[in-house]
Structure formats: structure tokens, C-alpha cells
Amino acid sequence: GVSQAGNITIQGEGTKETNLQQGLCKAWVSFTQSDNTIVGSFNVSSQSDDAAGRTTTNFNNDFSNAGYSFVGQVFDGGGANDARTLNHDADADTYSASALKYYSWNGSALDDAFRFFGQFMGDLA
């Protein structure tokens, strides 16, 4: 790879180059909503249970803007209806926190989940 101050470029697939920093996950969290406990995390200062089916992830290091990407999943541990619909509430996001909503398995109502897993990608401030 080629390294410059704050910039590492490596060869990706074939002959194309890619920027290492752009491809890294900047924050992740595994959160148990039933007892408001972070099981594991990186760059996450806290996770709040805001209401039924609503949580907020607070970051240690802010993103440079509120347009970061989010990937995640939730489950309730209940078996057949374990899946949830997870929505990133981008209108409520800030540089330092991400708001999330999840719905019951049929998508009809906001509903708490047992465990939440989330990964956040974007530029840090």
C-alpha cells in the first residue's frame, strides 16, 4: 500500500486502488434492549432505550456529517416470529448519535426487541 498522512491507499480487486479509511466500519454495537446493556461495541459511548421500538446510539467520536450509512438487525429471541423490520431514522440522526426504530415481525407497530446489532460507516469528524 501507499501511505500518506491520514491516507492509506491499497490495491483492491484487480488493478484498482481503494482508500483503506473509506472502507472501515467506524462504529458498531451489540445491545440488549431488555436490560439496557451494551454487550460489545466500538466507538459507542452509550445506547439508550428511548421508547417501545426506539433506541439511540451515541458515538464516542462524531461523524463529519449526519449522512453516514447504517446496517443492522434486531431479534426478539421468540422463535418463529423472531424477525423485525429495522428502520434508520435518518431525519433524527446527528453527527454524534443515530436514532433507530424497529417494528413487530409483521411491520404493524413499533416493538421492542431483545437484541440489537448495528454497524455505522462514514467519515469521522
Side-chain angles (χ1 to χ4, degrees):
V2 177
S3 181
Q4 300 172 11
N7 186 14
I8 298 174
T9 302
I10 60 172
Q11 183 174 336
E13 297 76 21
T15 59
K16 301 296 181 189
E17 292 183 342
T18 187
N19 183 288
L20 184 61
Q21 288 88 337
Q22 290 296 309
L24 297 175
C25 179
K26 304 300 173 52
W28 64 267
V29 65
S30 174
F31 171 72
T32 303
Q33 189 176 17
S34 61
D35 62 3
N36 205 34
T37 300
I38 292 177
V39 177
S41 69
F42 171 72
N43 193 28
V44 171
S45 59
S46 64
Q47 179 85 14
S48 63
D49 181 354
D50 301 332
R54 292 181 178 268
T55 63
T56 298
T57 302
N58 299 291
F59 306 118
N60 284 320
N61 298 296
D62 293 352
F63 282 85
S64 62
N65 60 57
Y68 46 84
S69 175
F70 164 77
V71 176
Q73 69 181 41
V74 293
F75 77 97
D76 70 5
N81 296 328
D82 201 30
R84 294 282 185 258
T85 301
L86 178 62
N87 292 322
H88 183 209
D89 194 1
D91 292 337
D93 282 348
T94 67
Y95 296 66
S96 61
S98 178
L100 301 160
K101 299 185 288 190
Y102 25 99
Y103 295 84
S104 59
W105 66 273
N106 63 6
S108 64
L110 287 167
D111 189 24
D112 280 348
F114 171 70
R115 181 69 64 85
F116 161 80
F117 307 92
Q119 300 85 43
F120 305 86
M121 285 71 66
D123 295 331
L124 294 179

